[in-house]
Amino acid sequence: MVFNVSFLIEGWNIVCRRKKIVLFIFLAVFSSTAIFSQLQAPLYQASATVKLWWPREVGSFILRGNWGKGPDMSKELLFLRSPHFRQEVARRLGTFAGTEVPQGGEKAYTLPGALSFREVEGSNVMVISVTASDPEIAAELANLAARAYRDLKLKQRINSARERREFVQEQEALFKSKLDESEEKLKNFKERSGDVELERDRLKKELVKLEAGFAEISKEYSSGDNPVLKELRANIDSVRDKLSALDIEEMELKSLNRDYQYNRKKYEGWKEQAIAAKISEEDELPDLSIVDQAHVPTQPISPNKLLNSLVGALIGLMLGGFSAFILENLQTTLRSIEEVEQYTGLAVLSAIPYLAIKGPLKKSDKMSRMRQQLLTSYPAQSYIRESYRELLALIEHRALEKDKKSLLVSSVGPGEGKSITCANLGIVAAQAGFKALLVDCDLRRPILHSLFGLSREPGFVDYAEGNIKWQNALHDVDASDKLKIITSGGIPDNPAELLESQKLTALIEESGPDFDIVLFDGPPVLPIADASILGPKTNAVIIVYQTAQTAKEALKRAKEQLENVGASILGIVLNNTTPQTQSEPYYGYNKAHYNDTISRQGQTQVT
């Protein structure tokens, strides 16, 4: 993962630019959280721990050889959360408090604290917790709930054992009755029918004897009508009928025997279970114990003022930062050097700081304010002068050394400080030893003559109309003869036509040998076409852009408009910038240097 330092720096710059809204949201959220925490009533929590033992069922051990199943913790949680358990706790609490709690109804469920239950994972341990505003009530209620749980569990087991014993005894009595009934039927049958097996043996022997006698006599008498034979045959049939009757009685006897044996087996089984159930009921013990009693808590669990404050601070910072980024994305202007360069693809030549004016001046005295922004009003080592020296150094490197002397200083729109920038650039060039010429080509709203206290005529218009030579339009500014100015002259009816004339081209060519740098103060780019006419005629164009004021789309359109007419853009000068405009301090200068104050008693001559 690549650590993007530039992204962090940009984020920090956004936060710094929007520090007021970030600080406001942070303080609002943090203070609201702190006040809410202070107003909250403290809550205390006490916990009692109970352990459910493996239920040792004696009957289960006797019948199945084991002690039964272990406790089902999920069912225990359902029981603890049931209205029945809460009603029992409320009833006991009412008895403990000395007041009667009515059975049923919502009052029976009213508790002075919130009950909660938690199973300790992987064990048979249950934690019963109570949260209340009174620490003593929380501890007492937790212990009360634990005892109620223990007693109810024991009562459940006793009731379950009793119900099982009663059921088993009912079944024992039922099958005892059935056994006695089947035994009585068997006894009566035997008394009535005698010994069936002995009778059968006797009849079989008698039948054999009769059949043998019949066979012997049949040899002597061939006729079947012999009375002796008839009598023997009748006796044989009678014995056979008796044997058939005995078969039926034998089947009935077997059925009675089966009923007797079944009822006897069931009776003996239920009898054993009755004995086991009786033993289990008599030996019934609680299947849980209170491992740890609840103690009176000394510290509240809520509100956690420190945690709430930290969360409030974090949320406040996050919301403040988020709001700063939202506002930053909604803004239509550019605020930093990096933003301008990334958005336009042009180099930022210099960042001219915001010029604070000291001293009482009327708002209507606009020209006085503008004059105080000239470099002649600042100390020699002021940061504003250093900014323009930096700008001149870049121009010298990128233009003058390549014999590009004529430069157009323009802006996106009016009021961005292009004329002040052009004038100060001429002053700093003269101070650096360059022979500089300023030409006021903003023929619609000329201002250079007012800044330097010069007469507007004769000027460029007079030269362009062929009335004078350009040398006759030069105005001296100081005794050093390093800075010359051609003012605008009169206000023409057709400024665009004058700028398109060959006179301007001749001025650029003829002034080259006499001056080291020629600066044209041109009109803004977007409102009118004058700058688009001037741009291609000069060697390069410098765009003055006031950060946090002019829309970035307007800057982009101005750049495209100049490029479309073939103008060469040297770069952008940011005007009226703040410390946040640059990502890092420049050469150790701090914020104080941005606040160089304009003295109303500044020099009027170039120094």
Side-chain angles (χ1 to χ4, degrees), residues 440-494:
D440 194 348
C441 287
D442 190 353
L443 304 183
R444 302 173 192 268
R445 297 180 63 183
I447 199 173
L448 285 183
H449 65 282
S450 297
L451 283 176
F452 290 94
L454 302 175
S455 172
R456 192 172 65 184
E457 297 178 0
F460 176 78
V461 173
D462 301 290
Y463 161 70
E465 290 178 347
N467 298 327
I468 60 173
K469 294 182 178 181
W470 66 267
Q471 291 87 349
N472 297 331
L474 294 175
H475 295 265
D476 294 327
V477 177
D478 65 336
S480 65
D481 202 34
K482 293 290 185 180
L483 179 61
K484 302 287 186 178
I485 296 178
I486 297 179
T487 58
S488 63
I491 304 298
D493 297 329
N494 53 348

Side-chain angles (χ1 to χ4, degrees), residues 419-430:
S419 297
I420 292 294
T421 302
C422 184
N424 283 335
L425 187 56
I427 292 173
V428 78

Side-chain angles (χ1 to χ4, degrees), residues 197-244:
E197 293 298 330
L198 290 175
E199 184 65 19
R200 179 185 294 278
D201 290 342
R202 188 187 66 78
L203 289 176
K204 284 183 178 181
K205 291 178 180 180
E206 185 180 352
L207 180 60
V208 170
K209 184 177 178 181
L210 290 173
E211 287 178 344
F214 182 80
E216 188 66 30
I217 294 174
S218 294
K219 292 178 181 179
E220 297 178 3
Y221 302 99
S222 58
S223 174
D225 296 331
N226 187 284
V228 177
L229 292 174
K230 288 182 178 180
E231 183 179 358
L232 288 171
R233 187 177 293 108
N235 291 335
I236 290 171
D237 291 340
S238 176
V239 171
R240 286 178 176 173
D241 289 341
K242 289 180 179 179
L243 285 171
S244 297

Side-chain angles (χ1 to χ4, degrees), residues 123-415:
S123 68
N124 295 337
V125 176
M126 192 76 69
V127 179
I128 301 176
S129 301
V130 174
T131 304
S133 57
D134 189 324
E136 294 183 357
I137 290 179
E140 184 59 38
L141 186 55
N143 290 327
L144 190 66
R147 292 194 294 270
Y149 182 32
R150 179 194 61 193
D151 296 344
L152 286 175
K153 287 292 292 180
L154 178 59
K155 184 178 179 180
Q156 277 186 345
R157 288 182 60 79
I158 292 175
N159 291 339
S160 177
R162 184 184 67 251
E163 291 173 359
R164 177 175 175 78
R165 176 185 56 78
E166 290 175 353
F167 173 75
V168 170
Q169 288 179 344
E170 289 176 0
Q171 295 299 313
E172 179 192 11
L174 175 64
F175 280 95
K176 180 65 170 64
S177 174
K178 288 184 178 181
L179 178 61
D180 292 343
E181 182 181 353
S182 60
E183 186 178 11
E184 183 67 24
K185 287 181 179 180
L186 182 60
K187 180 180 178 182
N188 292 337
F189 178 82
K190 287 183 177 181
E191 289 177 355
R192 183 180 70 251
S193 301
D195 194 339
V196 177
E197 293 298 330
L198 290 175
E199 184 65 19
R200 179 185 294 278
D201 290 342
R202 188 187 66 78
L203 289 176
K204 284 183 178 181
K205 291 178 180 180
E206 185 180 352
L207 180 60
V208 170
K209 184 177 178 181
L210 290 173
E211 287 178 344
F214 182 80
E216 188 66 30
I217 294 174
S218 294
K219 292 178 181 179
E220 297 178 3
Y221 302 99
S222 58
S223 174
D225 296 331
N226 187 284
V228 177
L229 292 174
K230 288 182 178 180
E231 183 179 358
L232 288 171
R233 187 177 293 108
N235 291 335
I236 290 171
D237 291 340
S238 176
V239 171
R240 286 178 176 173
D241 289 341
K242 289 180 179 179
L243 285 171
S244 297
L246 283 176
D247 290 339
I248 295 174
E249 289 182 359
E250 187 177 13
M251 291 178 62
E252 185 177 356
L253 177 62
K254 289 180 178 180
S255 176
L256 290 174
N257 274 325
R258 282 196 301 271
D259 290 344
Y260 173 76
Q261 294 298 330
Y262 173 76
N263 290 330
R264 181 181 177 181
K265 184 177 180 181
K266 295 294 289 184
Y267 168 69
E268 290 175 351
W270 284 112
K271 185 177 181 180
E272 290 179 358
Q273 291 190 46
I275 296 172
K278 186 176 181 181
I279 295 173
S280 178
E281 181 183 10
E282 294 175 352
D283 194 39
E284 194 64 55
L285 295 173
D287 59 351
L288 66 83
S289 62
I290 300 176
V291 179
D292 188 16
Q293 293 276 352
H295 303 285
V296 178
T298 57
Q299 295 294 331
I301 63 166
S302 176
N304 190 331
K305 296 180 180 179
L306 177 59
L307 179 61
N308 289 350
S309 298
L310 291 177
V311 172
L314 180 61
I315 294 176
L317 287 175
M318 291 176 62
L319 289 178
F322 181 74
S323 301
F325 278 90
I326 292 295
L327 292 175
E328 191 74 16
N329 289 328
L330 291 177
Q331 76 167 29
T332 59
T333 62
L334 301 173
R335 294 177 175 270
S336 69
I337 293 175
E338 290 77 8
E339 287 181 1
V340 174
E341 290 183 337
Q342 290 174 5
Y343 187 73
T344 62
L346 298 174
V348 172
L349 302 177
S350 182
I352 308 302
Y354 173 76
L355 303 177
I357 300 176
K358 184 178 180 181
L361 284 175
K362 296 181 180 180
K363 291 184 178 180
S364 59
D365 197 356
K366 181 179 178 182
M367 185 52 60
S368 296
R369 289 177 173 269
M370 293 184 66
R371 286 173 181 169
Q372 291 187 14
Q373 296 180 49
L374 293 175
L375 289 184
T376 54
S377 300
Y378 289 86
Q381 300 302 321
S382 64
Y383 182 69
I384 182 66
R385 285 179 177 265
E386 291 297 329
S387 299
Y388 277 102
R389 292 188 187 112
E390 175 191 1
L391 174 58
L392 179 63
L394 286 174
I395 292 174
E396 181 181 6
H397 174 68
R398 298 187 179 189
L400 301 184
E401 291 180 357
K402 300 176 182 179
D403 202 28
K404 296 180 179 180
K405 296 183 179 182
S406 58
L407 303 175
L408 170 64
V409 179
S410 182
S411 62
V412 178

